[in-house]
Amino acid sequence: METSRVKPVVPVDARYAAATLAKRRAGRALFVCFMAVLVVADLFPLIWLFDFSLLKSGDFFASGILKWPDPPMWKNYADAFAKAHIMLLFANSLLVSGVSIVIIILASVFMGYAFTRMEWKWRKPLFALIMVGMIIPIYSTLLPNFIIFNQVHLLNTYWSLILPYAAFSIPISMFIVTGFMETIPRALEEAAVLDGLTIPGIIFRIILPVLRPAIATMAVISFLNCWNEFIMAVTYISEDSLRTLPFAVVYFMGQYTSNYGAQFAVLAMITIPSILIYLLFTDQITRGITAGAVKG
């Protein structure tokens, strides 16, 4: 005796909802895969750098992109410390970066207040002129700056690095700080004026505390730019006692041979402070950059 099977009737709305849910899950899976590929692509240079810093010099010419260090050549890091005067170069980089960051933050905050809160004749043209600085390549300024620094006797001084570092970082810092200032209610300043505060008092007691996320963003971006800069340090500084950390790579370059392991060890040591600073201030960077994105 045959038994008839009756298929359950699925409502049209339920089938449409199930199909939509399946499409969303497939799209989410593709997005996760795409982001995973991007993360691996971003992290690969760091993995490659630390891997090569632990290899023997003869292993660099072997086949394969990555090679497991067997055994790890920690001697490369010891050579970098012993022969490249790492501590002196580290102190010079810290001094140059620190002074540059202070100048960048003070100049950006004061100019940002003048451009966003004050009405004056040349406000918009001058702001546009400062923003043009973001598209000027460093290499086009090397020779003019070298001639100027030579005439005013600034070559082989810390100021020959601090001044151009500040000049190149101020436009992007101005872009960040003006976007953040637009989100600050003017009622705060009006209340401060009624209490008798002057403009410097408003900036130091009202604006600066509110601008902490933007200041953190400016400080981190400026630190990364100053800490990793190489071409200006080589062009304007020729005395060993004034050189900055990126120059340490040159100590292991010869006319016919190079100590590649020590060079990669130096690059790894230069990279570590930048990674730590970026990881510590990731939230502040995101808040500072996106602060002026949405208004209303």
Side-chain angles (χ1 to χ4, degrees):
M1 179 178 182
E2 295 183 355
T3 57
S4 60
R5 295 181 178 179
V6 179
K7 296 184 178 178
V9 178
V10 179
V12 176
D13 293 342
R15 283 183 291 176
Y16 178 76
T20 303
L21 181 61
K23 288 181 180 179
R24 287 181 179 176
R25 288 177 176 174
R28 189 177 303 169
L30 287 175
F31 178 75
V32 170
C33 292
F34 177 71
M35 295 305 295
V37 171
L38 286 182
V39 169
V40 172
D42 285 340
L43 291 180
F44 179 76
L46 286 177
I47 298 172
W48 179 78
L49 173 63
F50 286 103
D51 176 52
F52 272 41
S53 70
L54 296 174
L55 294 179
K56 301 175 185 176
S57 293
D59 294 337
F60 289 94
F61 304 101
S63 60
I65 300 177
L66 294 176
K67 182 178 176 62
W68 182 257
D70 187 23
M73 294 296 293
W74 299 106
K75 182 177 178 299
N76 294 334
Y77 286 87
D79 291 342
F81 263 101
K83 299 178 182 178
H85 312 290
I86 290 295
M87 296 310 296
L88 174 63
L89 303 184
F90 184 88
N92 289 337
S93 288
L94 203 59
L95 175 63
V96 171
S97 301
V99 176
S100 301
I101 290 170
V102 172
I103 294 175
I104 292 165
I105 290 175
L106 290 178
S108 301
V109 170
F110 277 90
M111 288 195 298
Y113 186 85
F115 281 115
T116 57
R117 291 299 201 259
M118 298 179 178
E119 294 292 337
W120 40 289
K121 185 176 181 181
W122 299 100
R123 182 171 64 92
K124 292 183 178 179
L126 283 179
F127 183 76
L129 183 62
I130 293 175
M131 290 298 104
V132 170
M134 288 195 293
I135 61 174
I136 296 178
I138 290 177
Y139 304 100
S140 65
T141 65
L142 287 177
L143 181 58
N145 282 343
F146 185 88
I147 296 173
I148 295 172
F149 291 159
N150 186 39
Q151 291 179 346
V152 298
H153 306 291
L154 280 181
L155 289 179
N156 284 317
T157 65
Y158 292 124
W159 290 108
S160 64
L161 297 181
I162 292 171
L163 293 178
Y165 287 175
F168 274 98
S169 295
I170 282 177
I172 182 64
S173 299
M174 282 282 298
F175 180 77
I176 294 171
V177 78
T178 51
F180 201 97
M181 278 189 180
E182 293 291 347
T183 65
I184 300 176
R186 293 179 181 269
L188 289 175
E189 299 162 57
E190 293 171 359
V193 171
L194 293 177
D195 289 339
L197 285 181
T198 60
I199 290 179
I202 293 174
I203 292 176
F204 283 105
R205 300 180 64 177
I206 304 295
I207 300 297
L208 280 179
V210 180
L211 280 178
R212 278 182 296 182
I215 291 174
T217 304
M218 290 188 293
V220 172
I221 294 176
S222 302
F223 174 81
L224 297 178
N225 292 335
C226 300
W227 190 263
N228 299 319
E229 202 284 324
F230 177 74
I231 188 66
M232 288 187 185
V234 173
T235 305
Y236 303 143
I237 301 292
S238 59
E239 293 186 9
D240 291 340
S241 61
L242 299 176
R243 292 190 185 280
T244 52
L245 197 53
F247 189 84
V249 178
V250 180
Y251 286 112
F252 301 98
M253 295 174 60
Q255 185 175 3
Y256 302 106
T257 59
S258 295
N259 187 346
Y260 295 111
Q263 288 180 355
F264 277 97
V266 168
L267 292 174
M269 286 189 288
I270 295 173
T271 306
I272 289 173
S274 302
I275 296 174
L276 293 178
I277 292 291
Y278 190 81
L279 291 177
L280 288 174
F281 295 98
T282 299
D283 292 340
Q284 287 83 353
I285 292 174
T286 305
R287 289 170 57 192
I289 292 177
T290 59
V294 179
K295 301 175 183 177

